[in-house]
Amino acid sequence: MSDAVEGLRTPRLLLRRWREEDDAPMAAINSDPAVTELLNRRMDAAAITTFLDRTREHWAVHGFGHWAVEPLDGPVAGEMIGFVGVAYPSYLPEVADSPELGWRLSPASWGHGYATEAALAARDDAFDRLVLPALISIIHPENARSRRVAEKLGMAVERQVFNPVHDRDVDIWQVLAP
Ligand SMILES: CC(C)(COP(=O)(O)OP(=O)(O)OC[C@H]1O[C@@H](n2cnc3c(N)ncnc32)[C@H](O)[C@@H]1OP(=O)(O)O)[C@@H](O)C(=O)NCCC(=O)NCCS
């Protein structure tokens, strides 16, 4: 496990450790059909509780995990708008041992480049501080926004795996440490 870190800063965002008060806004994001449409795991009420428990547990066990994302300025400065970060994707056993860089933001914050800005910082932290050799992202082929974020991170599709949630193959994107 690496040294503890409280957060990362980008020009417009704070990525910080998860707090209790993040659970309610994240549950609302996880309940939004626009958000869940192309996710690789189910997000019913039970799954949302499990998601929040696993977010905390992942930090405790691995010393890294999903960051809570807050804009530093603008109309929603200081509000938690979602998560970006690295976690083991236990929901998909075939790739559960590969650290996944994931992103999920509230629809009101889409289209400002926030996901890319946060994910670049999380990617660099994963390679520089955590010394992870590679990162994957599991992306539904029709998730155009998410694919675009992956491209901007220097990722490329490495293979496909079957995802029973969608009853189809989904793309495994990968980027190697420099
Ligand atoms: C995926 C997600 C995090 C992107 O957030 P975001 O802050 O809007 O992302 P960014 O602004 O950094 O980048 C989005 C890119 O997609 C592009 N885009 C937006 N809408 C698009 C569309 N309908 N089709 C294709 N590209 C689109 C944007 O133009 C941008 O690319 P650009 O910088 O080249 O212009 C957000 O849409 C989300 O939370 N979705 C729901 C959860 C989800 O699907 N998570 C990923 C699971 S794999």
Side-chain angles (χ1 to χ4, degrees), residues 23-65:
D23 284 9
M26 196 65 225
I29 293 166
N30 278 332
S31 306
D32 187 323
V35 171
T36 57
E37 185 190 2
L38 296 170
L39 288 188
N40 288 297
R41 50 180 144 172
R42 287 194 180 82
M43 277 295 154
D44 55 17
I48 289 171
T49 304
T50 303
F51 170 90
L52 296 168
D53 290 344
R54 289 219 177 125
T55 296
R56 265 183 281 280
E57 186 187 305
H58 198 285
W59 272 102
V61 172
H62 299 287
F64 63 90

Short mmCIF file of all heavy atoms in Angstrom, two decimals, residues 23-65:
data_model
loop_
_atom_site.label_atom_id
_atom_site.label_comp_id
_atom_site.label_asym_id
_atom_site.label_seq_id
_atom_site.Cartn_x
_atom_site.Cartn_y
_atom_site.Cartn_z
N ASP A 23 -22.60 10.27 0.30
CA ASP A 23 -23.47 9.14 -0.02
C ASP A 23 -24.78 9.59 -0.67
O ASP A 23 -25.23 8.98 -1.65
CB ASP A 23 -23.80 8.33 1.24
CG ASP A 23 -22.62 7.47 1.68
OD1 ASP A 23 -21.53 7.64 1.11
OD2 ASP A 23 -22.81 6.64 2.57
N ALA A 24 -25.41 10.65 -0.12
CA ALA A 24 -26.72 11.07 -0.65
C ALA A 24 -26.61 11.59 -2.09
O ALA A 24 -27.35 11.12 -2.97
CB ALA A 24 -27.36 12.11 0.27
N PRO A 25 -25.69 12.54 -2.38
CA PRO A 25 -25.60 12.96 -3.78
C PRO A 25 -25.17 11.84 -4.73
O PRO A 25 -25.66 11.77 -5.87
CB PRO A 25 -24.57 14.10 -3.77
CG PRO A 25 -23.91 14.07 -2.44
CD PRO A 25 -24.84 13.37 -1.51
N MET A 26 -24.32 10.91 -4.25
CA MET A 26 -23.91 9.82 -5.14
C MET A 26 -25.07 8.85 -5.37
O MET A 26 -25.23 8.34 -6.48
CB MET A 26 -22.70 9.07 -4.55
CG MET A 26 -21.97 8.20 -5.58
SD MET A 26 -21.19 9.15 -6.93
CE MET A 26 -21.69 8.20 -8.38
N ALA A 27 -25.89 8.63 -4.34
CA ALA A 27 -27.07 7.77 -4.51
C ALA A 27 -28.02 8.38 -5.54
O ALA A 27 -28.61 7.67 -6.37
CB ALA A 27 -27.77 7.56 -3.18
N ALA A 28 -28.17 9.72 -5.51
CA ALA A 28 -29.04 10.39 -6.49
C ALA A 28 -28.47 10.22 -7.90
O ALA A 28 -29.21 9.93 -8.86
CB ALA A 28 -29.18 11.87 -6.14
N ILE A 29 -27.17 10.36 -8.05
CA ILE A 29 -26.53 10.18 -9.36
C ILE A 29 -26.73 8.73 -9.83
O ILE A 29 -27.09 8.47 -10.99
CB ILE A 29 -25.02 10.54 -9.29
CG1 ILE A 29 -24.86 12.03 -9.03
CG2 ILE A 29 -24.30 10.11 -10.55
CD1 ILE A 29 -23.45 12.45 -8.60
N ASN A 30 -26.55 7.78 -8.91
CA ASN A 30 -26.69 6.36 -9.26
C ASN A 30 -28.14 5.96 -9.54
O ASN A 30 -28.38 4.86 -10.04
CB ASN A 30 -26.15 5.49 -8.12
CG ASN A 30 -24.63 5.34 -8.17
OD1 ASN A 30 -24.04 5.41 -9.24
ND2 ASN A 30 -24.02 5.14 -7.03
N SER A 31 -29.10 6.83 -9.21
CA SER A 31 -30.51 6.54 -9.46
C SER A 31 -31.02 7.18 -10.75
O SER A 31 -32.17 6.96 -11.14
CB SER A 31 -31.38 7.09 -8.31
OG SER A 31 -30.93 6.60 -7.10
N ASP A 32 -30.20 7.97 -11.39
CA ASP A 32 -30.63 8.74 -12.55
C ASP A 32 -30.56 7.85 -13.81
O ASP A 32 -29.48 7.38 -14.17
CB ASP A 32 -29.71 9.96 -12.69
CG ASP A 32 -30.19 10.92 -13.77
OD1 ASP A 32 -30.70 10.45 -14.81
OD2 ASP A 32 -30.03 12.13 -13.57
N PRO A 33 -31.68 7.65 -14.49
CA PRO A 33 -31.67 6.76 -15.67
C PRO A 33 -30.70 7.22 -16.77
O PRO A 33 -30.15 6.38 -17.50
CB PRO A 33 -33.11 6.81 -16.18
CG PRO A 33 -33.92 7.34 -15.05
CD PRO A 33 -33.02 8.17 -14.20
N ALA A 34 -30.46 8.53 -16.88
CA ALA A 34 -29.50 9.01 -17.89
C ALA A 34 -28.09 8.52 -17.55
O ALA A 34 -27.28 8.28 -18.45
CB ALA A 34 -29.53 10.54 -17.94
N VAL A 35 -27.82 8.35 -16.27
CA VAL A 35 -26.50 7.90 -15.82
C VAL A 35 -26.37 6.38 -15.96
O VAL A 35 -25.35 5.86 -16.39
CB VAL A 35 -26.27 8.32 -14.34
CG1 VAL A 35 -25.01 7.67 -13.78
CG2 VAL A 35 -26.20 9.84 -14.23
N THR A 36 -27.43 5.67 -15.60
CA THR A 36 -27.33 4.21 -15.49
C THR A 36 -27.53 3.47 -16.81
O THR A 36 -27.24 2.28 -16.89
CB THR A 36 -28.35 3.67 -14.47
OG1 THR A 36 -29.66 4.09 -14.87
CG2 THR A 36 -28.05 4.21 -13.08
N GLU A 37 -28.00 4.18 -17.82
CA GLU A 37 -28.38 3.54 -19.09
C GLU A 37 -27.33 2.55 -19.61
O GLU A 37 -27.66 1.44 -20.01
CB GLU A 37 -28.63 4.63 -20.14
CG GLU A 37 -29.13 4.09 -21.45
CD GLU A 37 -29.12 5.16 -22.55
OE1 GLU A 37 -28.69 6.30 -22.29
OE2 GLU A 37 -29.52 4.82 -23.67
N LEU A 38 -26.06 2.96 -19.60
CA LEU A 38 -25.02 2.13 -20.21
C LEU A 38 -23.96 1.69 -19.20
O LEU A 38 -22.84 1.34 -19.58
CB LEU A 38 -24.38 2.88 -21.38
CG LEU A 38 -25.34 3.18 -22.54
CD1 LEU A 38 -24.70 4.13 -23.54
CD2 LEU A 38 -25.78 1.89 -23.23
N LEU A 39 -24.31 1.71 -17.91
CA LEU A 39 -23.36 1.26 -16.89
C LEU A 39 -23.18 -0.25 -16.98
O LEU A 39 -24.09 -0.98 -17.40
CB LEU A 39 -23.86 1.60 -15.49
CG LEU A 39 -23.82 3.06 -15.07
CD1 LEU A 39 -24.18 3.16 -13.59
CD2 LEU A 39 -22.46 3.68 -15.33
N ASN A 40 -22.03 -0.72 -16.51
CA ASN A 40 -21.73 -2.14 -16.61
C ASN A 40 -22.18 -2.94 -15.40
O ASN A 40 -21.90 -4.13 -15.30
CB ASN A 40 -20.23 -2.33 -16.84
CG ASN A 40 -19.86 -1.91 -18.24
OD1 ASN A 40 -20.32 -2.51 -19.21
ND2 ASN A 40 -19.07 -0.85 -18.36
N ARG A 41 -22.83 -2.28 -14.44
CA ARG A 41 -23.39 -3.01 -13.31
C ARG A 41 -24.76 -2.46 -12.98
O ARG A 41 -25.06 -1.30 -13.28
CB ARG A 41 -22.48 -2.96 -12.09
CG ARG A 41 -22.03 -1.57 -11.72
CD ARG A 41 -21.13 -1.63 -10.51
NE ARG A 41 -20.07 -0.65 -10.60
CZ ARG A 41 -19.24 -0.37 -9.61
NH1 ARG A 41 -19.36 -1.01 -8.47
NH2 ARG A 41 -18.29 0.53 -9.76
N ARG A 42 -25.58 -3.29 -12.34
CA ARG A 42 -26.93 -2.86 -12.00
C ARG A 42 -26.90 -1.82 -10.90
O ARG A 42 -26.01 -1.82 -10.07
CB ARG A 42 -27.76 -4.07 -11.56
CG ARG A 42 -28.12 -4.95 -12.71
CD ARG A 42 -29.20 -5.95 -12.38
NE ARG A 42 -29.46 -6.74 -13.57
CZ ARG A 42 -28.72 -7.78 -13.93
NH1 ARG A 42 -27.71 -8.17 -13.18
NH2 ARG A 42 -28.97 -8.43 -15.05
N MET A 43 -27.88 -0.93 -10.88
CA MET A 43 -27.94 0.12 -9.87
C MET A 43 -29.34 0.23 -9.29
O MET A 43 -29.94 1.30 -9.31
CB MET A 43 -27.48 1.46 -10.46
CG MET A 43 -25.99 1.63 -10.49
SD MET A 43 -25.28 1.69 -8.83
CE MET A 43 -23.63 1.11 -9.15
N ASP A 44 -29.88 -0.90 -8.77
CA ASP A 44 -31.13 -0.80 -8.03
C ASP A 44 -30.80 -0.35 -6.60
O ASP A 44 -29.63 -0.10 -6.27
CB ASP A 44 -31.88 -2.13 -8.06
CG ASP A 44 -31.04 -3.29 -7.56
OD1 ASP A 44 -30.01 -3.03 -6.89
OD2 ASP A 44 -31.39 -4.45 -7.84
N ALA A 45 -31.83 -0.24 -5.73
CA ALA A 45 -31.59 0.32 -4.39
C ALA A 45 -30.54 -0.47 -3.62
O ALA A 45 -29.65 0.11 -2.98
CB ALA A 45 -32.91 0.35 -3.62
N ALA A 46 -30.62 -1.81 -3.69
CA ALA A 46 -29.65 -2.63 -2.96
C ALA A 46 -28.24 -2.42 -3.52
O ALA A 46 -27.27 -2.32 -2.77
CB ALA A 46 -30.04 -4.10 -3.07
N ALA A 47 -28.14 -2.33 -4.84
CA ALA A 47 -26.83 -2.15 -5.48
C ALA A 47 -26.22 -0.79 -5.12
O ALA A 47 -25.00 -0.66 -5.01
CB ALA A 47 -26.95 -2.31 -6.99
N ILE A 48 -27.07 0.22 -4.94
CA ILE A 48 -26.55 1.55 -4.59
C ILE A 48 -25.94 1.51 -3.19
O ILE A 48 -24.85 2.05 -2.96
CB ILE A 48 -27.67 2.60 -4.70
CG1 ILE A 48 -28.00 2.82 -6.18
CG2 ILE A 48 -27.26 3.91 -4.03
CD1 ILE A 48 -29.22 3.68 -6.43
N THR A 49 -26.60 0.83 -2.26
CA THR A 49 -26.03 0.69 -0.91
C THR A 49 -24.72 -0.08 -0.96
O THR A 49 -23.73 0.31 -0.35
CB THR A 49 -27.04 -0.04 0.00
OG1 THR A 49 -28.25 0.69 -0.03
CG2 THR A 49 -26.53 -0.13 1.42
N THR A 50 -24.71 -1.16 -1.74
CA THR A 50 -23.49 -1.96 -1.87
C THR A 50 -22.37 -1.11 -2.47
O THR A 50 -21.22 -1.18 -2.04
CB THR A 50 -23.75 -3.18 -2.79
OG1 THR A 50 -24.82 -3.91 -2.22
CG2 THR A 50 -22.53 -4.06 -2.93
N PHE A 51 -22.73 -0.30 -3.48
CA PHE A 51 -21.73 0.56 -4.14
C PHE A 51 -21.06 1.48 -3.11
O PHE A 51 -19.84 1.61 -3.08
CB PHE A 51 -22.43 1.39 -5.22
CG PHE A 51 -21.56 2.47 -5.80
CD1 PHE A 51 -20.76 2.22 -6.91
CD2 PHE A 51 -21.52 3.75 -5.25
CE1 PHE A 51 -19.95 3.20 -7.44
CE2 PHE A 51 -20.71 4.74 -5.78
CZ PHE A 51 -19.93 4.46 -6.87
N LEU A 52 -21.87 2.11 -2.24
CA LEU A 52 -21.31 3.05 -1.27
C LEU A 52 -20.45 2.32 -0.23
O LEU A 52 -19.37 2.79 0.13
CB LEU A 52 -22.45 3.83 -0.59
CG LEU A 52 -23.24 4.73 -1.56
CD1 LEU A 52 -24.52 5.23 -0.90
CD2 LEU A 52 -22.39 5.90 -2.04
N ASP A 53 -20.91 1.14 0.21
CA ASP A 53 -20.12 0.35 1.17
C ASP A 53 -18.80 -0.07 0.54
O ASP A 53 -17.74 0.00 1.17
CB ASP A 53 -20.90 -0.91 1.59
CG ASP A 53 -22.09 -0.56 2.47
OD1 ASP A 53 -22.13 0.57 2.99
OD2 ASP A 53 -22.97 -1.42 2.63
N ARG A 54 -18.85 -0.51 -0.71
CA ARG A 54 -17.63 -0.99 -1.37
C ARG A 54 -16.66 0.16 -1.64
O ARG A 54 -15.45 -0.03 -1.65
CB ARG A 54 -17.97 -1.68 -2.70
CG ARG A 54 -18.64 -3.00 -2.47
CD ARG A 54 -18.17 -4.05 -3.48
NE ARG A 54 -18.80 -5.33 -3.16
CZ ARG A 54 -19.51 -6.04 -4.01
NH1 ARG A 54 -19.68 -5.62 -5.25
NH2 ARG A 54 -20.02 -7.20 -3.66
N THR A 55 -17.20 1.36 -1.89
CA THR A 55 -16.32 2.52 -2.11
C THR A 55 -15.46 2.75 -0.86
O THR A 55 -14.24 2.90 -0.95
CB THR A 55 -17.17 3.77 -2.42
OG1 THR A 55 -17.86 3.54 -3.65
CG2 THR A 55 -16.31 5.01 -2.56
N ARG A 56 -16.10 2.74 0.31
CA ARG A 56 -15.36 2.92 1.58
C ARG A 56 -14.40 1.76 1.82
O ARG A 56 -13.25 1.96 2.19
CB ARG A 56 -16.36 3.00 2.73
CG ARG A 56 -16.73 4.41 3.10
CD ARG A 56 -17.66 4.39 4.29
NE ARG A 56 -19.02 4.07 3.87
CZ ARG A 56 -19.84 4.98 3.34
NH1 ARG A 56 -19.45 6.22 3.19
NH2 ARG A 56 -21.05 4.63 2.97
N GLU A 57 -14.91 0.55 1.62
CA GLU A 57 -14.12 -0.65 1.90
C GLU A 57 -12.88 -0.70 1.00
O GLU A 57 -11.79 -1.08 1.42
CB GLU A 57 -15.01 -1.87 1.65
CG GLU A 57 -14.40 -3.19 2.03
CD GLU A 57 -15.34 -4.32 1.58
OE1 GLU A 57 -16.53 -4.30 1.95
OE2 GLU A 57 -14.86 -5.19 0.81
N HIS A 58 -13.06 -0.28 -0.26
CA HIS A 58 -11.93 -0.33 -1.21
C HIS A 58 -10.79 0.58 -0.74
O HIS A 58 -9.63 0.19 -0.77
CB HIS A 58 -12.40 0.08 -2.61
CG HIS A 58 -11.46 -0.34 -3.70
ND1 HIS A 58 -10.25 0.30 -3.92
CD2 HIS A 58 -11.51 -1.36 -4.59
CE1 HIS A 58 -9.63 -0.30 -4.93
NE2 HIS A 58 -10.37 -1.30 -5.35
N TRP A 59 -11.14 1.78 -0.26
CA TRP A 59 -10.11 2.68 0.27
C TRP A 59 -9.41 2.04 1.46
O TRP A 59 -8.17 2.10 1.59
CB TRP A 59 -10.75 4.01 0.70
CG TRP A 59 -10.82 5.02 -0.41
CD1 TRP A 59 -11.91 5.35 -1.16
CD2 TRP A 59 -9.75 5.84 -0.91
NE1 TRP A 59 -11.59 6.31 -2.09
CE2 TRP A 59 -10.28 6.63 -1.95
CE3 TRP A 59 -8.40 5.97 -0.57
CZ2 TRP A 59 -9.50 7.56 -2.65
CZ3 TRP A 59 -7.61 6.89 -1.28
CH2 TRP A 59 -8.17 7.66 -2.30
N ALA A 60 -10.19 1.42 2.35
CA ALA A 60 -9.63 0.83 3.57
C ALA A 60 -8.69 -0.33 3.25
O ALA A 60 -7.63 -0.47 3.84
CB ALA A 60 -10.75 0.37 4.49
N VAL A 61 -9.07 -1.14 2.28
CA VAL A 61 -8.29 -2.34 1.96
C VAL A 61 -7.08 -2.02 1.09
O VAL A 61 -5.98 -2.52 1.31
CB VAL A 61 -9.19 -3.39 1.27
CG1 VAL A 61 -8.37 -4.58 0.75
CG2 VAL A 61 -10.27 -3.87 2.24
N HIS A 62 -7.28 -1.17 0.06
CA HIS A 62 -6.24 -0.96 -0.95
C HIS A 62 -5.50 0.37 -0.81
O HIS A 62 -4.46 0.56 -1.44
CB HIS A 62 -6.85 -1.04 -2.36
CG HIS A 62 -7.48 -2.36 -2.65
ND1 HIS A 62 -6.75 -3.51 -2.90
CD2 HIS A 62 -8.78 -2.75 -2.71
CE1 HIS A 62 -7.58 -4.53 -3.12
NE2 HIS A 62 -8.81 -4.09 -3.00
N GLY A 63 -6.04 1.31 -0.05
CA GLY A 63 -5.38 2.62 0.08
C GLY A 63 -5.60 3.52 -1.11
O GLY A 63 -4.98 4.58 -1.22
N PHE A 64 -6.46 3.13 -2.02
CA PHE A 64 -6.89 3.98 -3.13
C PHE A 64 -8.30 3.59 -3.50
O PHE A 64 -8.84 2.60 -3.02
CB PHE A 64 -5.93 3.88 -4.34
CG PHE A 64 -5.86 2.53 -4.99
CD1 PHE A 64 -6.72 2.18 -6.03
CD2 PHE A 64 -4.93 1.60 -4.57
CE1 PHE A 64 -6.65 0.93 -6.65
CE2 PHE A 64 -4.86 0.33 -5.17
CZ PHE A 64 -5.72 0.00 -6.21
N GLY A 65 -8.93 4.40 -4.35
CA GLY A 65 -10.31 4.11 -4.73
C GLY A 65 -10.92 5.27 -5.48
O GLY A 65 -10.21 6.09 -6.06
#
